[in-house]
Amino acid sequence: MKKIFNVIFILLSMSFVAQSKVLKSNKLVVKKNPVKQIVKKKPESNLVVINENVPLLIPQKLNGNFGYVNQKGKFVVTPEYHIAMFFAEDCNLLNSPNPKAKKFGTSNFATVEKNGISYRINQAGKRLYQFKNADLGKCQTEFKKQLFHAYILNGSYGIIEDSKFSNPSDRSHFKIYPKYEYLHILEGDDLSNPMIVASHKDKFGIIDVNNNIIIPFEYADIKRNYSWKLGKMFEVTKDDINYYYIDSNNKSY
């Protein structure tokens, strides 16, 4: 009887182990599918950088109206304005008595004019502020005396350095001895190396105080305005009608 019981126990044990192996072999394995991350591509920016020394947006005229092009010459802001200035600070707004108007005085905005109304726009071309006389504060600009000046001798223009000039009869007293038809020192941030509009043989170009030619003498006119100070660019024309901007490498935009 004892033997029979042992045989039954052995058979039950074998059956249990076999079933256990079957269960293990049939065990469901759930594989987790890797979660794919959806990467959203950012839209390509229109504010391309080709030359770090010039603005991202440059005023340009088309069919009588001004808009803004990027450094590739593509219009980013539709030409619809009578006036369009460089993106730059407006000290009247920076010193505004109206706290809400002050932020529009930063260089993130540009001044434009349409139908006699002046606005500040952002780089997307959206008008975010309309000028109001009550918002305009007083500019607190620091006066900086120029180191160099144009000097006329016998009908020709040269350049003198104020601190070193005393005798016009001594050629060595001139930074550039008078030989040009016209010279005008442009307003800029670097007083020690200003850009100078020069006329030679009835053509305009740009020179520096060491008489190096920056822009060749090939233009009918170069405007004496703040484009160099605000945008490190020169406003030029070859036909006295159509003006456009060039950089210090003589590249047009």
Side-chain angles (χ1 to χ4, degrees), residues 112-126:
V112 295
E113 183 180 298
K114 183 177 182 178
N115 299 326
I117 302 174
S118 297
Y119 306 91
R120 292 286 276 179
I121 63 170
N122 63 11
Q123 291 183 335
K126 187 174 181 179

Side-chain angles (χ1 to χ4, degrees), residues 1-15:
M1 187 72 182
K2 196 171 186 179
K3 288 181 179 180
I4 295 172
F5 177 79
N6 288 337
V7 171
I8 294 172
F9 178 78
I10 291 171
L11 291 173
L12 288 174
S13 298
M14 292 175 63
S15 176

Side-chain angles (χ1 to χ4, degrees), residues 147 149 151 153 159-175:
L147 302 179
H149 285 92
Y151 191 96
L153 181 66
I159 294 293
I160 62 171
E161 187 173 359
D162 292 355
S163 63
K164 298 179 180 180
F165 182 83
S166 60
N167 184 7
S169 299
D170 188 341
R171 192 183 184 96
S172 67
H173 280 225
F174 288 89
K175 187 69 176 175

Side-chain angles (χ1 to χ4, degrees), residues 79-101:
E80 58 177 310
Y81 297 105
H82 175 63
I83 295 173
M85 302 176 69
F86 283 102
F87 280 78
E89 291 184 350
D90 185 304
C91 64
N92 295 112
L93 288 177
L94 286 176
N95 293 284
S96 174
N98 179 2
K100 293 183 179 180

Side-chain angles (χ1 to χ4, degrees), residues 24-225:
K24 284 182 180 180
S25 64
N26 291 336
K27 186 177 181 180
L28 294 177
V29 179
V30 180
K31 294 184 179 180
K32 293 183 179 180
N33 293 324
V35 178
K36 294 183 179 180
Q37 292 184 344
I38 300 174
V39 180
K40 293 183 179 180
K41 292 185 178 180
K42 294 182 179 179
E44 185 179 353
S45 174
N46 286 320
L47 304 181
V48 294
V49 180
I50 298 174
N51 185 345
E52 293 182 352
N53 296 318
V54 301
L56 292 174
L57 291 174
I58 302 159
Q60 190 174 111
K61 197 173 187 178
L62 180 67
N63 298 328
N65 289 319
F66 285 95
Y68 292 84
V69 297
N70 61 18
Q71 291 188 10
K72 286 186 175 180
K74 178 183 177 182
F75 271 101
V76 176
V77 178
T78 304
E80 58 177 310
Y81 297 105
H82 175 63
I83 295 173
M85 302 176 69
F86 283 102
F87 280 78
E89 291 184 350
D90 185 304
C91 64
N92 295 112
L93 288 177
L94 286 176
N95 293 284
S96 174
N98 179 2
K100 293 183 179 180
K102 280 187 176 183
K103 66 179 181 180
F104 298 111
T106 69
S107 59
N108 294 323
F109 304 91
T111 297
V112 295
E113 183 180 298
K114 183 177 182 178
N115 299 326
I117 302 174
S118 297
Y119 306 91
R120 292 286 276 179
I121 63 170
N122 63 11
Q123 291 183 335
K126 187 174 181 179
R127 298 175 208 160
L128 296 178
Y129 173 79
Q130 180 178 326
F131 277 88
K132 299 175 184 176
N133 288 333
D135 288 344
L136 303 182
K138 187 177 180 180
C139 292
Q140 299 174 355
T141 54
E142 180 185 354
F143 174 74
K144 294 181 179 179
K145 185 180 178 181
Q146 295 288 339
L147 302 179
F148 303 93
H149 285 92
Y151 191 96
I152 305 174
L153 181 66
N154 299 324
S156 296
Y157 284 74
I159 294 293
I160 62 171
E161 187 173 359
D162 292 355
S163 63
K164 298 179 180 180
F165 182 83
S166 60
N167 184 7
S169 299
D170 188 341
R171 192 183 184 96
S172 67
H173 280 225
F174 288 89
K175 187 69 176 175
I176 298 176
Y177 192 77
K179 65 174 184 177
Y180 290 99
E181 297 161 1
Y182 175 80
L183 291 177
H184 176 83
I185 299 177
L186 291 171
E187 186 82 17
D189 296 325
D190 188 355
L191 298 179
S192 63
N193 187 32
M195 295 292 99
I196 304 166
V197 177
S199 177
H200 178 61
K201 294 182 179 181
D202 294 325
K203 291 292 184 181
F204 284 86
I206 300 289
I207 62 173
D208 63 15
V209 291
N210 296 310
N211 207 24
N212 296 312
I213 296 175
I214 308 301
I215 301 296
F217 293 90
E218 61 184 41
Y219 295 98
D221 187 32
I222 298 177
K223 285 190 176 182
R224 276 71 78 191
N225 55 21

